[in-house]
Amino acid sequence: MNNNKMIEYKENVISKIRKFFKRIFKKKEQQNNYIKEEFVNEIKEERKEQQEIFANDIKIDTEVVNSVIEKKNFLEKINGNEEALNMLSIDRLKKLEKYYDSVIEKNNEKIKKLKETV
């Protein structure tokens, strides 16, 4: 009994068929993974852009808000206070006149629209 030879492994038909299909489908999977990764990366980039746009859209200019608050406070201080009106400069009075003229025009336009609808 002399068993010193190496044993040769012979693949059977079933294992050959398996390997064949593995090679075919493995290539397709790699291609699909590449396509999916590209698509996912594009979606992530679009989402980041949308988030940046949204963040920029919801930002509020604080100077505009502060100016509106200052106007309101100023008008409340002047309302019915003759001494404060007398202390104002001519430029300030002209600005105040322009403001009230614009308010009156807006109100007149609203009144006209309401009369037309009735």
Side-chain angles (χ1 to χ4, degrees):
M1 300 231 159
N2 206 356
N3 286 341
N4 292 336
K5 293 183 185 178
M6 282 188 79
I7 302 173
E8 281 188 40
Y9 176 72
K10 294 183 181 178
E11 285 186 298
N12 60 10
V13 176
I14 295 174
S15 62
K16 287 181 182 180
I17 294 172
R18 267 192 201 157
K19 282 186 179 181
F20 174 75
F21 284 115
K22 280 185 181 180
R23 274 189 256 133
I24 292 174
F25 289 117
K26 199 170 192 179
K27 288 180 184 177
K28 287 184 181 180
E29 284 179 12
Q30 289 173 349
Q31 289 173 353
N32 288 341
N33 288 339
Y34 177 72
I35 293 171
K36 288 177 186 177
E37 288 174 9
E38 256 186 35
F39 187 68
V40 168
N41 289 338
E42 288 176 11
I43 291 174
K44 286 181 181 179
E45 289 175 12
E46 288 177 8
R47 189 173 285 166
K48 284 180 184 177
E49 290 174 6
Q50 289 174 350
Q51 288 174 349
E52 289 173 3
I53 291 170
F54 178 73
N56 289 335
D57 287 347
I58 63 172
K59 288 183 181 176
I60 298 173
D61 190 12
T62 57
E63 293 177 11
V64 173
V65 175
N66 288 341
S67 67
V68 171
I69 292 172
E70 288 175 5
K71 281 182 186 178
K72 182 180 176 186
N73 290 339
F74 176 73
L75 293 175
E76 286 176 359
K77 190 184 289 186
I78 290 179
N79 191 14
N81 191 352
E82 289 183 28
E83 292 176 12
L85 282 172
N86 290 332
M87 294 175 66
L88 292 177
S89 67
I90 295 174
D91 293 333
R92 192 84 160 166
L93 287 172
K94 287 182 180 179
K95 288 181 184 178
L96 194 61
E97 182 183 17
K98 288 180 184 178
Y99 171 75
Y100 277 115
D101 287 341
S102 66
V103 170
I104 290 170
E105 287 178 27
K106 288 178 186 177
N107 288 338
N108 285 337
E109 289 176 9
K110 289 180 183 177
I111 291 171
K112 287 179 184 177
K113 287 180 182 178
L114 288 173
K115 284 182 179 180
E116 291 174 358
T117 57
V118 176

